Amino acid sequence: FCILLQAMTEYDTENAHIAHLIAYRYYYRTRLFSDCSSGNSAGSTEQVGRPRWTKHVWNRAHAADSLQLCTVCFLDDVAHNFYFDTVCDCECALHLKCDALRITRSELDEADPETWFCPLCVATQQSMTILQQRRPLGSQSGEFEVQKVLDFDAVRELYVVKWKTYPASANCAIELSASFVGSVQEFWAAQIEKGV
């Protein structure tokens, strides 16, 4: 399932449906591949073939809350194998077991806050100059520039945004702000063109 999500993301990096699947991956994975009993036991009052949640499946579904998804290898892992407090200003969690990142906890612990950037930021930028210029802007004002609005969450009334000069793993859902109204207008114009 994780490999399917990875392949879909590589095919279309900005698809709202794929982003939704990734965000709700635990729910869909549990619903698709859980160990539900079939309800065929003698004396059962359930309909034949109707899935029944067992204690094992229930515990496994809730254990998924402690799992994290690596945005590089798209594999789930326990939170212990992620590093959450990097000195990089993107504040992305780094998967320590990811073959593509090849990073260690000791390397992250010893990183210089003035010069070190995470592998996600380094991979998405053309030059270190851009990375070095963005750091003081975010730390001084606390404001970050929205590059593009990717989706709208109608339930929570939040916009999913891509931050300028930050990797896709730093994308997040935020409330509407005057600072990115132009990007919101472009997003809705594109939705109207698509007929959504």
Side-chain angles (χ1 to χ4, degrees):
F1 186 71
C2 294
I3 293 170
L4 171 66
L5 289 180
Q6 179 181 9
M8 290 169 57
T9 303
E10 289 173 359
Y11 175 74
D12 189 354
T13 58
E14 297 182 4
N15 187 302
H17 301 290
I18 294 172
H20 171 84
L21 281 173
I22 291 172
Y24 293 94
R25 65 195 176 277
Y26 302 126
Y27 169 79
Y28 290 119
R29 187 179 62 198
T30 303
R31 297 294 290 166
L32 291 170
F33 306 110
S34 66
D35 299 349
C36 295
S37 62
S38 64
N40 292 331
S41 60
S44 174
T45 59
E46 294 185 18
Q47 298 173 355
V48 174
R50 181 176 158 204
R52 179 167 41 104
W53 285 88
T54 63
K55 185 176 181 182
H56 168 70
V57 173
W58 179 260
N59 289 340
R60 195 173 74 193
H62 287 285
D65 292 339
S66 66
L67 295 176
Q68 298 287 324
L69 179 72
C70 176
T71 57
V72 177
C73 67
F74 289 95
L75 296 177
D76 293 327
D77 203 346
V78 293
H80 175 74
N81 289 330
F82 282 82
Y83 196 93
F84 295 97
D85 298 321
T86 65
V87 295
C88 186
D89 57 332
C90 72
E91 299 180 0
C92 295
L94 298 176
H95 186 203
L96 299 172
K97 302 288 184 180
C98 180
D99 290 335
L101 291 179
R102 298 173 194 244
I103 198 159
T104 64
R105 190 174 298 275
S106 61
E107 180 183 347
L108 293 169
D109 288 337
E110 297 167 5
D112 180 13
E114 299 297 320
T115 60
W116 188 86
F117 292 93
C118 74
L120 301 172
C121 289
V122 172
T124 58
Q125 294 304 316
Q126 300 293 325
S127 70
M128 288 299 285
T129 307
I130 294 172
L131 293 174
Q132 291 165 346
Q133 290 172 349
R134 84 171 189 206
R135 181 168 277 165
L137 294 175
S139 62
Q140 290 169 0
S141 65
E143 293 288 323
F144 301 95
E145 186 177 349
V146 171
Q147 179 178 338
K148 183 177 183 179
V149 173
L150 304 174
D151 196 10
F152 177 70
D153 183 347
V155 174
R156 298 183 301 160
E157 296 184 357
L158 299 174
Y159 286 92
V160 179
V161 298
K162 163 79 173 84
W163 300 106
K164 189 173 184 179
T165 71
Y166 286 87
S169 52
N171 295 354
C172 64
I174 60 171
E175 293 180 356
L176 179 62
S177 168
S179 64
F180 67 99
V181 169
S183 296
V184 170
Q185 291 171 338
E186 290 173 12
F187 168 76
W188 288 117
Q191 296 301 310
I192 291 170
E193 276 185 29
K194 292 179 185 177
V196 177

